[in-house]
């Protein structure tokens, strides 16, 4: 019996035909990267000549790519020979590949886990509560920080939230949160003072505007009064002793202190 052998070709399979370029998408993405390169070049340090040279070259190539994509897009809608159109597409594809530009926008990175907000049960309180419990302190003390101007009035004047013998703090010469330390002792430890003063400094207009060194006033709540008809948050300090505490928000110890306090906040 004769065996039959099927013939086969030794030629390798032809590569798959690449999908046609989306010229509109390519032009949009090239323009986006062109704008980003402009911004990077504007922000580049004048002393970094190598970086500036790289950005200028990329700027020139992206400009060329945008022009090619625009002209090819317009010519494809009119009558043109297939050979010239194919050659133009190859040129665009080569340039786009070398620049890392595709005809699709980049895929955004996945979002991180959703932040779970701390739920506070019961009626709304006009302050956030922090706990001062530094190393060496035998007793934890609550520190109340007003949320807004109207809340500051409630915190500083309503006996529901403070005693006249508690301690009161506020950034000197700046709008900001009123801070109350729930402690009736005649003196506060240095650590508690710094905890409360750091919160007062950070929750002031100076603190949020980037000022690092801020002075904070410390006095008894009984020394604080609200003038009749005064705008929300405005109070006067009486003749009792007012101590000034200097806070440097850029100091690493202060940053660690605030991080510790933030881990205790409620409200």
């Amino acid at each position: 019996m004769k065996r039959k052998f099927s013939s086969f070709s030794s030629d390798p399979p032809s590569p798959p035909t690449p999908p046609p370029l989306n010229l509109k998408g390519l032009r949009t993405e090239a323009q986006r990267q062109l704008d980003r390169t402009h911004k990077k070049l504007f922000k580049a340090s004048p002393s970094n000549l190598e970086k500036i040279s790289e950005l200028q070259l990329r700027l020139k190539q992206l400009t060329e790519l945008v022009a090619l994509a625009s002209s090819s897009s317009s010519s494809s809608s009119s009558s043109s020979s297939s050979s010239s159109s194919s050659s133009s597409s190859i040129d665009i594809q080569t340039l786009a590949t070398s620049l890392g530009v595709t005809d699709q926008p980049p895929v955004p990175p996945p979002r991180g886990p959703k932040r779970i907000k701390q739920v506070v049960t019961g009626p709304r309180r006009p302050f956030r509560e922090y706990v001062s419990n530094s190393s060496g302190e035998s007793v934890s003390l609550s520190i109340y920080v007003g949320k807004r101007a109207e809340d500051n009035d409630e915190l500083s004047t309503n006996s529901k939230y403070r005693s006249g013998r508690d301690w009161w703090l506020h950034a000197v010469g700046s709008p900001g949160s009123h801070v109350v330390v729930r402690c009736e002792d005649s003196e506060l430890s240095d650590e508690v003072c710094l905890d409360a003063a750091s919160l007062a400094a950070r929750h002031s207009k100076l603190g949020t505007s980037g000022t690092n060194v801020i002075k904070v006033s410390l006095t008894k709540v009984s020394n604080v009064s609200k003038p009749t008809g005064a705008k929300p948050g405005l109070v006067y300090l009486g003749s009792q002793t007012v101590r000034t505490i200097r806070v440097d928000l850029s100091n690493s110890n202060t940053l660690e202190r605030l991080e510790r306090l933030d881990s205790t906040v409620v409200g």
Side-chain angles (χ1 to χ4, degrees), residues 119-197:
V119 179
V120 180
T121 58
R124 180 187 179 277
R125 300 192 300 178
F127 56 84
R128 293 182 178 85
E129 181 177 359
Y130 297 80
V131 176
S132 178
N133 188 12
S134 307
S135 58
E137 296 292 331
S138 57
V139 180
S140 297
L141 296 176
S142 293
I143 302 176
Y144 295 168
V145 179
K147 294 179 179 178
R148 57 189 183 187
E150 294 81 1
D151 295 332
N152 286 335
D153 288 344
E154 275 290 293
L155 176 58
S156 296
T157 62
N158 193 333
S159 58
K160 178 181 177 181
Y161 304 117
R162 94 292 180 271
S163 159
R165 294 183 296 274
D166 288 338
W167 292 89
W168 184 93
L169 300 94
H170 191 275
V172 175
S174 171
S177 294
H178 294 193
V179 175
V180 170
V181 181
R182 296 308 311 269
C183 176
E184 299 185 357
D185 294 349
S186 59
E187 295 290 339
L188 286 178
S189 70
D190 289 343
E191 283 300 306
V192 174
C193 284
L194 287 173
D195 279 356

Side-chain angles (χ1 to χ4, degrees), residues 24 46 59 151 190 247 260:
K24 183 178 179 181
L59 204 62
D151 295 332
D190 289 343
V247 177
R260 168 173 53 80

Side-chain angles (χ1 to χ4, degrees), residues 10 13 16 35 46 69 72 99 106 131 135 162 210 234 259 265:
S10 60
D35 294 339
S72 296
L99 292 171
V131 176
S135 58
R162 94 292 180 271
L234 178 64
E259 185 177 357
V265 67

Side-chain angles (χ1 to χ4, degrees), residues 23-168:
L23 291 174
K24 183 178 179 181
L26 182 68
R27 184 176 69 249
T28 301
E29 178 60 15
Q31 185 64 54
R32 186 185 71 85
Q33 294 203 26
L34 181 64
D35 294 339
R36 289 189 64 189
T37 307
H38 267 296
K39 292 179 181 178
K40 289 182 179 179
L41 185 59
F42 178 76
K43 294 180 180 179
S45 171
S47 60
N48 194 343
L49 299 179
E50 183 178 355
K51 182 69 173 179
I52 291 176
S53 178
E54 290 177 3
L55 290 171
Q56 287 175 337
L57 176 60
R58 181 171 177 82
L59 204 62
K60 179 181 178 181
Q61 292 173 325
L62 284 169
T63 303
E64 180 183 354
L65 180 59
V66 171
L68 279 173
S70 299
S71 61
S72 296
S73 179
S74 59
S75 63
S76 62
S77 59
S78 59
S79 59
S80 58
S81 63
S82 64
S83 60
S84 63
S85 177
S86 174
S87 174
S88 176
S89 296
I90 293 173
D91 292 342
I92 295 174
Q93 182 71 65
T94 302
L95 182 57
T97 302
S98 67
L99 292 171
V101 180
T102 66
D103 57 2
Q104 298 293 331
V107 180
R111 290 186 175 183
K114 188 175 180 181
R115 184 177 179 183
I116 301 175
K117 292 185 177 180
Q118 193 171 16
V119 179
V120 180
T121 58
R124 180 187 179 277
R125 300 192 300 178
F127 56 84
R128 293 182 178 85
E129 181 177 359
Y130 297 80
V131 176
S132 178
N133 188 12
S134 307
S135 58
E137 296 292 331
S138 57
V139 180
S140 297
L141 296 176
S142 293
I143 302 176
Y144 295 168
V145 179
K147 294 179 179 178
R148 57 189 183 187
E150 294 81 1
D151 295 332
N152 286 335
D153 288 344
E154 275 290 293
L155 176 58
S156 296
T157 62
N158 193 333
S159 58
K160 178 181 177 181
Y161 304 117
R162 94 292 180 271
S163 159
R165 294 183 296 274
D166 288 338
W167 292 89
W168 184 93

